[in-house]
Amino acid sequence: MTGKRVKLHCANWVSHLQTMLVEGLDKQPLPDIVDSLSSFGFNCVRLTWATYMFTRLDYGNRTVDQSFTSLNLTEARDGIAKNNPSLLNLTVVQAYHKVVEELGAKGIMVVLDNHISRPNWCCSENDGNGFFGDEYFDAEEWLEGLTIVAKRFKHYPQVVAMSMRNELRGPRQSQPEWFRWVRRGGMRIHLLNPKLLVIVSGLSYDTDLSFIPRTLSLNLGNKLVYEGHWYAFSLGRSKDWSNENPDKVCATTMKEFDDKIDFVTTGKNPVPLFVSEFGMDQRGVNEADNRFISCFLAYAAERDLDWALWAFHGSYYLREGQRGMEEVYGVLDKNWDQPRNPKFIKRLRLIQEILQDPTSKLPINHVMYHPLSGNCVLVDDSNSIQLTDCLNRSHWSYGGDETPINLVGTSMCLKAVGDGLPVTVSTDCSSNQSNWRVISSSNLQLSTMDEQGKSLCLENNSSTILTKECLCPTDVEKCQDNPEIQWFKLVPTNMK
């Protein structure tokens, strides 16, 4: 124990469907898949599991071969025989262990996520897996499953956390029953393995923690973590993202997330938060997803969230009756050998870093982040301003509305020259063109005025940053423009 912060920047990798085997082993050797995880910058995996795998012998004792043969997945079974032959005659539980061992061997942390009880695709209101007492969700059996898994992986240092249950939901959900069973489950895990983080989800598909007192009256030795999920479709917002001004929707959903989820990180007894699912259709064809993700990335950078992207895997052996279904939210493509969208991986670069460390002695300053491109603002040696990979970025100080944005370590500040012209840095930090305001309902546009008093905003034009007329600064209800190109976030950091 060093007392230093470790930031989880994870990918979800599924092992809870009917085969009970982690996806993709028919496509590539297990070590190669784990290597690709690391190469994309992920330091952990949220690895899903189904309760029945560990509580029912007729599930857990099936060999991989038997599991695939019983489901008539001949092609996938042959792919496993080719790429991972040593796994074929292991039981599905033994194979799960092998995956955890390989992740640990490559330095990847593991969050064991109880995703469902009866192996199947998740989630719907009436799938029988949604809440304690549902057809396939016996609460005592669930406790037994947590017990078995906590014991099995007690001596695996790469296993850093257990998530008690994914997306509690459905008509049976109730707060009294939630408190009853979550407290029992949390204590069960902690008593068996006190080193583990115990991750607790709320209600309504992991979108609501607002009813929870932060302590839960549990003594988990400072190991309690809450989790939340956030997608474009969360809380029925998908049509809003598609049809309304994205600045307005971004502001609305950020406030909802603050009120229902992120509030646990504030106040007298703050608790860490793990955003264990977010994601987008990486083909770029879903307008709601495209707009949502820029908003999410800005929020995640500002709050320095710990997170797990849905998803890593590029396809499924069997999902909802379809063989070989492609996972369009997946980082990997259907063949598991290339990233589906390399530009998206780049956009994650900044939020993969620790940006705020409570042990740092450095002062807070800011990184200027453009979430639509995933780039950061850099002033080079010739004092030229450009957008670059966030590995290279300048640091800025900012005192609030109508004050300069100063380049740290210099006497220079950000200055507008005129409409449609590149922004500059200057030692003239007293003029109106050097005073900046954060505007728009989402607080994602940086505005100043030109010599004529016209309001101008930073705007990305390829790798050049211009000042142009602000898009939708007021009356966003009627505005038809999409201001994402002008979204810049001053992200606080106390890291170099």
Side-chain angles (χ1 to χ4, degrees):
M1 299 285 288
T2 65
K4 292 188 176 181
R5 182 183 174 193
V6 174
K7 180 174 179 176
L8 299 179
H9 40 97
C10 316
N12 281 274
W13 194 4
V14 159
S15 188
H16 68 270
L17 297 186
Q18 287 147 290
T19 64
M20 297 173 286
L21 183 70
V22 72
E23 304 292 338
L25 298 184
D26 60 332
K27 303 291 187 181
Q28 299 290 336
L30 175 59
D32 292 355
I33 296 175
V34 175
D35 284 342
S36 65
L37 261 165
S38 183
S39 72
F40 294 144
F42 299 107
N43 70 351
C44 79
V45 166
R46 182 178 182 244
L47 189 65
T48 67
W49 57 278
T51 301
Y52 289 9
M53 287 171 59
F54 294 94
T55 59
R56 302 193 179 191
L57 294 179
D58 56 332
Y59 283 81
N61 281 352
R62 294 179 203 172
T63 66
V64 172
D65 193 351
Q66 290 168 341
S67 179
F68 280 73
T69 300
S70 68
L71 294 166
N72 199 26
L73 296 174
T74 305
E75 184 177 348
R77 182 241 175 247
D78 292 345
I80 296 167
K82 174 185 175 183
N83 290 295
N84 293 282
S86 64
L87 300 181
L88 205 58
N89 292 318
L90 298 182
T91 67
V92 292
V93 169
Q94 289 170 334
Y96 192 87
H97 275 261
K98 290 294 184 184
V99 173
V100 173
E101 289 166 8
E102 184 63 31
L103 289 166
K106 299 295 175 62
I108 303 290
M109 293 179 286
V110 180
V111 175
L112 300 175
D113 169 62
N114 179 233
H115 212 72
I116 205 162
S117 292
R118 177 175 176 259
N120 214 335
W121 175 248
C122 174
C123 300
S124 72
E125 292 282 306
N126 56 4
D127 62 8
N129 281 278
F131 199 73
F132 307 107
D134 280 359
E135 181 179 3
Y136 306 115
F137 193 173
D138 178 82
E140 292 291 350
E141 184 174 11
W142 168 75
L143 282 177
E144 181 189 356
L146 295 181
T147 301
I148 293 168
V149 171
K151 286 180 177 178
R152 274 185 169 274
F153 293 97
K154 183 173 184 177
H155 301 295
Y156 287 65
Q158 66 270 41
V159 176
V160 297
M162 281 183 65
S163 176
M164 279 197 283
R165 187 68 173 201
N166 176 72
E167 296 196 351
L168 293 166
R169 62 197 178 275
R172 297 180 62 93
Q173 66 178 356
S174 73
Q175 294 178 17
E177 286 297 287
W178 184 93
F179 280 106
R180 176 188 178 193
W181 292 107
V182 165
R183 283 172 172 152
R184 290 184 66 183
M187 285 308 301
R188 183 72 59 90
I189 293 169
H190 183 66
L191 290 173
L192 291 166
N193 189 346
K195 293 182 179 180
L196 287 180
L197 298 174
V198 179
I199 300 176
V200 176
S201 65
L203 296 173
S204 302
Y205 293 87
D206 280 6
T207 63
D208 187 10
L209 295 166
S210 62
F211 61 95
I212 299 175
R214 292 182 179 89
T215 62
L216 273 182
S217 301
L218 281 174
N219 182 10
L220 299 182
N222 208 28
K223 297 297 192 296
L224 174 64
V225 176
Y226 287 123
E227 67 179 313
H229 293 177
W230 194 4
Y231 292 97
F233 53 76
S234 296
L235 301 175
R237 291 285 180 193
S238 188
K239 288 185 178 179
D240 295 346
W241 281 109
S242 298
N243 300 327
E244 298 182 14
N245 184 277
D247 195 84
K248 173 194 170 188
V249 184
C250 181
T252 299
T253 58
M254 285 194 293
K255 185 176 188 309
E256 287 175 339
F257 197 80
D258 278 341
D259 293 345
K260 290 179 175 290
I261 299 291
D262 194 62
F263 76 93
V264 300
T265 66
T266 63
K268 292 183 178 179
N269 298 299
V271 176
L273 176 68
F274 179 44
V275 181
S276 54
E277 286 187 29
F278 77 96
M280 65 170 289
D281 185 334
Q282 295 198 28
R283 299 171 299 177
V285 298
N286 186 312
E287 188 65 27
D289 282 357
N290 294 344
R291 292 175 169 188
F292 156 76
I293 204 67
S294 293
C295 178
F296 175 84
L297 291 172
Y299 186 98
E302 180 185 29
R303 306 302 174 91
D304 199 15
L305 296 176
D306 294 73
W307 50 265
L309 174 71
W310 189 279
F312 175 64
H313 43 280
S315 64
Y316 299 90
Y317 307 120
L318 179 68
R319 174 181 152 181
E320 299 172 288
Q322 182 177 333
R323 292 177 174 83
M325 179 187 283
E326 190 170 1
E327 175 52 271
V328 297
Y329 279 50
V331 167
L332 289 172
D333 65 10
K334 192 174 183 180
N335 295 322
W336 289 68
D337 58 358
Q338 298 291 332
R340 185 180 306 277
N341 183 347
K343 290 182 179 179
F344 179 79
I345 299 298
K346 177 184 174 184
R347 293 176 73 183
L348 298 177
R349 179 67 189 82
L350 184 64
I351 68 168
Q352 288 176 328
E353 293 186 32
I354 294 176
L355 297 169
Q356 299 171 36
D357 187 344
T359 66
S360 173
K361 308 242 186 260
L362 297 176
I364 292 285
N365 49 51
H366 296 85
V367 174
M368 200 178 302
Y369 178 51
H370 186 253
L372 180 61
S373 65
N375 287 325
C376 294
V377 177
L378 173 71
V379 180
D380 65 19
D381 292 340
S382 62
N383 291 332
S384 175
I385 298 179
Q386 55 189 294
L387 276 174
T388 67
D389 186 309
C390 287
L391 284 170
N392 302 292
R393 74 278 184 119
S394 298
H395 284 212
W396 308 83
S397 63
Y398 180 55
D401 280 353
E402 305 298 344
T403 65
I405 299 175
N406 296 292
L407 181 62
V408 171
T410 76
S411 60
M412 294 186 294
C413 62
L414 201 65
K415 183 178 180 181
V417 177
D419 190 1
L421 298 176
V423 70
T424 64
V425 286
S426 170
T427 55
D428 177 15
C429 297
S430 59
S431 66
N432 286 337
Q433 300 100 291
S434 299
N435 290 331
W436 295 83
R437 292 186 302 132
V438 177
I439 67 165
S440 77
S441 53
S442 68
N443 294 322
L444 286 175
Q445 285 166 284
L446 292 172
S447 170
T448 188
M449 290 188 178
D450 65 11
E451 292 180 341
Q452 290 73 43
K454 182 179 181 181
S455 181
L456 302 176
C457 282
L458 294 183
E459 181 172 309
N460 174 27
N461 180 18
S462 185
S463 61
T464 303
I465 305 173
L466 311 177
T467 49
K468 297 191 71 173
E469 182 176 355
C470 296
L471 297 172
C472 305
T474 59
D475 200 10
V476 295
E477 296 282 355
K478 296 179 180 179
C479 183
Q480 300 299 310
D481 294 320
N482 182 350
E484 282 181 88
I485 196 171
Q486 292 186 348
W487 281 357
F488 283 83
K489 188 68 184 178
L490 286 168
V491 176
T493 182
N494 59 1
M495 306 296 287
K496 289 184 179 179

